[in-house]
Amino acid sequence: MGEFYTAIGVKQESGPFCVIKQGERVFLARTEQLLWTTLQGQFLEKDEIYPEICSEKAGSCAKKAGEEEVSYCLRRLTNRRLVVKVMANGAEDAQKMLLKSSVVVPAAPVFEIAASAFFRRAFGEPGTVSSHDKLWRKQWEQRERSVLKMLGIFGDVSKYLEAIEGSQEALPKRLLKYWDVLEMYDRESFLRTLCRLHEQKMIGILTVQEKEV
């Protein structure tokens, strides 16, 4: 059992670096920005965070941050609930545990993501799936875009899981037009889809329902 950290909130698309959490806009200092961005879509143990910040992919400015400064910012962002800590048996387990009790939102409006970019972002490296199968690709895009549209309307993951298990009343009536999409999922496959979208930073965790974590 380990302690895993991840970022909460969604980055504002334009203007100065700003994280939106529960309708509140929070501006972060430089090292806080690096830390929050590093943890966005990832679940890292404490001793993994600083090496990840200093990795080449984090950029040269990240190397100017000292380990003590990063530790201080981690405590600060955790206290401000812009970072949460989850006790779990692994990063994947931590992600599922947190998402089950979260309210999520698309990180960018669905219509702003081109179809080809959407497919690549959701699966990571191109070529890891049968992208040559255009019909399958189109069907997948339509289904996942529908999920993102649903999350843009209503983001309480626990209610979607209730609906998938047979309780349509758990969802707002305006989402019933997407019922055929939800019927394609069981509980586990829906969570796997959310995990993939979160890992690829296509959705963000807006808030966590404390009593269920």
Side-chain angles (χ1 to χ4, degrees):
M1 186 74 71
E3 296 179 345
F4 294 85
Y5 294 82
T6 193
I8 298 294
V10 178
K11 182 179 178 294
Q12 183 173 273
E13 286 297 308
S14 59
F17 193 104
C18 174
V19 175
I20 301 171
K21 173 181 172 286
Q22 289 183 295
E24 177 188 3
R25 285 176 167 79
V26 184
F27 294 90
L28 304 180
R30 189 193 66 178
T31 303
E32 291 175 334
Q33 294 174 20
L34 292 171
L35 175 59
W36 187 90
T37 302
T38 298
L39 292 175
Q40 186 186 20
Q42 293 201 84
F43 286 76
L44 300 177
E45 292 189 275
K46 191 172 184 177
D47 60 359
E48 297 175 321
I49 295 173
Y50 186 68
E52 184 71 12
I53 287 179
C54 293
S55 65
E56 290 185 9
K57 66 181 180 180
S60 59
C61 61
K63 299 176 183 178
K64 298 178 182 178
E67 189 168 1
E68 289 186 7
E69 184 181 3
V70 170
S71 295
Y72 169 77
C73 289
L74 180 62
R75 292 193 300 271
R76 178 175 166 81
L77 293 187
T78 301
N79 289 337
R80 297 169 75 186
R81 301 299 293 169
L82 291 170
V83 167
V84 295
K85 178 174 65 176
V86 184
M87 296 291 296
N89 291 320
E92 183 178 348
D93 184 42
Q95 188 181 40
K96 286 183 179 180
M97 286 176 59
L98 194 66
L99 283 172
K100 283 191 296 186
S101 57
S102 295
V103 175
V104 301
V105 66
V110 180
F111 58 82
E112 291 184 2
I113 306 174
S116 58
F118 181 91
F119 189 80
R120 288 196 304 271
R121 285 176 62 183
F123 278 104
E125 294 297 324
T128 57
V129 293
S130 53
S131 57
H132 61 279
D133 186 341
K134 294 182 179 180
L135 177 60
W136 183 88
R137 172 173 168 169
K138 182 177 180 180
Q139 291 173 339
W140 186 90
E141 287 173 353
Q142 290 175 342
R143 184 174 70 171
E144 304 306 319
R145 279 176 177 269
S146 294
V147 170
L148 286 174
K149 287 178 182 178
M150 292 162 62
L151 295 174
I153 297 170
F154 181 74
D156 189 336
V157 175
S158 65
K159 298 301 182 182
Y160 284 103
L161 296 178
E162 286 182 32
I164 288 170
E165 292 176 340
S167 177
Q168 288 190 26
E169 297 78 12
L171 294 178
K173 291 182 179 180
R174 63 185 182 276
L175 287 178
L176 293 181
K177 64 180 179 180
Y178 294 105
W179 187 250
D180 59 331
V181 176
L182 281 178
E183 285 185 322
M184 299 179 186
Y185 294 96
D186 57 23
R187 181 185 179 91
E188 188 62 25
S189 62
F190 187 74
L191 277 174
R192 283 200 305 269
T193 295
L194 295 185
C195 287
R196 184 171 63 246
L197 295 176
H198 180 248
E199 183 179 348
Q200 296 300 324
K201 304 180 183 180
M202 297 180 75
I203 61 173
I205 298 174
L206 205 56
T207 187
V208 180
Q209 300 177 49
E210 306 279 351
K211 62 182 180 180
E212 297 185 26
V213 177

